[in-house]
Each structure stands twice: as structure tokens, then as C-alpha cells.
Amino acid sequence: MIVLGIESSCDETAVALVDADRRILSNLVLSQTRDHEAFGGVVPEIAARAHLEHLDSLIRRALQDSGVRFASLSGVAATAGPGLIGGLIVGLMAAKAIAAARRLPFVAVNHLEAHLYAALVEDPSLELPVVVLLVSGGHTMLVAMEGHGRYRLLGATLDDAAGEAFDKVAKLLGLAYPGGPEVERRARAG
């Protein structure tokens, strides 16, 4: 089994190929940081247009780099939300088109659930239950992953996620975007 995965929920376009043994055959990420730098944050319309411009070539490159052909795919998955609607639509429509054209199963993936499962892909020896600290650009939460598809929210931010807070602080201080790496660099220097 080989699954093509597409992620386009925010400002990075990502394509991966994973086999039944959870081996990552290809993992390509195209950053849009420079596209959003002048604005000090992600501009949804710019992000969606960049996904549209680059997704096809990333898919082709992932297949080429891994030596996998469309005919070898067993399924296609794409982020279905939460995220920026324009970017999500680009990734979902590309994934659905490939699945329909190749008569493959399509799986819509919850962005937050994918973050939870990433640890299991990275370390297959992990056994449930586990507690996961999910910190992404738009979400910060502590989740008890009690079983497959069974989660309990232990805590979450009430307003901004950690990534958003770093970007806002950096912008207020006149630091470069994205804020997190720049704030961290400055903090290490005292």
C-alpha cells in the first residue's frame, strides 16, 4: 500500500508518499515564508494562489524522487480542515481529482488529528494511550490520545495559539517574520 498525502491548510504546500510500513518514501515541503514576509503574517489569498501554482510540480517531484508511479498508488489523502479555506480547497480538489481519475480511495484528513498521529508515524513503537502537546501556527493544545479516534482535550489556549503569539510579538517589536525563530534567536542572545 502506498498513499499520496497532500497538505495545504495554511502557508506551506506539502506532499508525501507513505507505505504500509509507515515508511516515508517522499516528503516535500514548499515554504511560502517569503511570500508573506512583507505582511508580517499569512495572507490567505496569497497562500491559496501559491498552493495552486506549486502543487502539481511537487506531486510530480515526490513521485519521481521516490520512484513511485501513479499506477502504484493505493489511495490519496488531503487535509480537509481546519485551516485557510482557499488553501484547503486547492489541496482537496487536487487529491480528489487524482483519486477519481485513478479510481482510488480518497481520505479527508483532519489537520489537528494528523498532528496527533505524526508522532506515531515518527516512532512506530509508541503505544496508545499517549499525551500529545500539539503546537502549530494556529493551535496550541494538550490532548490525551486514548485510542484510535478517541481523544480528550486536556487544555488549550483561549485566544491566540503559541505560533500566532510569537508572530504578533515579533511584529510589535519590529522583528522579522516568522516571529518564532527570530524571537528565539534573540532570546538566546539575551
Side-chain angles (χ1 to χ4, degrees):
M1 176 179 79
I2 299 175
V3 175
L4 168 67
I6 296 172
E7 207 296 306
S8 60
S9 64
C10 194
D11 64 331
E12 291 183 328
T13 312
V15 174
L17 291 160
V18 179
D19 71 11
D21 295 322
R22 298 180 186 170
R23 286 184 307 209
I24 299 169
L25 307 175
S26 181
N27 181 26
L28 302 176
V29 180
L30 179 74
S31 174
Q32 297 178 16
T33 300
R34 287 195 175 153
D35 297 338
H36 303 283
E37 197 170 37
F39 306 100
V42 177
V43 179
E45 181 64 22
I46 292 172
R49 288 174 190 245
H51 292 307
L52 188 60
E53 183 179 340
H54 299 288
L55 185 56
D56 288 348
S57 62
L58 271 182
I59 292 169
R60 273 194 304 277
R61 201 167 109 219
L63 292 166
Q64 288 172 348
D65 291 354
S66 64
V68 172
R69 298 175 4 170
F70 274 113
S72 302
L73 294 177
S74 307
V76 184
T79 307
L84 302 177
I85 192 64
L88 289 169
I89 289 171
V90 172
L92 281 167
M93 292 303 106
K96 286 181 176 182
I98 292 167
R102 305 298 307 177
R103 296 191 172 139
L104 297 170
F106 167 77
V107 176
V109 177
N110 179 289
H111 177 181
L112 301 179
E113 193 170 24
H115 278 296
L116 296 175
Y117 274 96
L120 299 176
V121 171
E122 195 68 31
D123 183 356
S125 69
L126 286 176
E127 293 183 24
L128 300 178
V130 296
V131 174
V132 180
L133 175 62
L134 192 161
V135 181
S136 72
H139 303 90
T140 303
M141 54 185 63
L142 191 62
V143 178
M145 195 172 176
E146 296 170 340
H148 295 291
R150 293 187 306 122
Y151 318 107
R152 188 165 37 98
L153 180 64
L154 301 174
T157 54
L158 297 176
D159 47 17
D160 284 345
E164 293 170 327
F166 273 109
D167 287 343
K168 288 179 180 179
V169 166
K171 192 172 187 175
L172 285 171
L173 295 175
L175 302 177
Y177 173 83
E182 185 63 18
V183 170
E184 181 180 3
R185 187 181 68 74
R186 300 262 181 135
R188 287 184 182 194

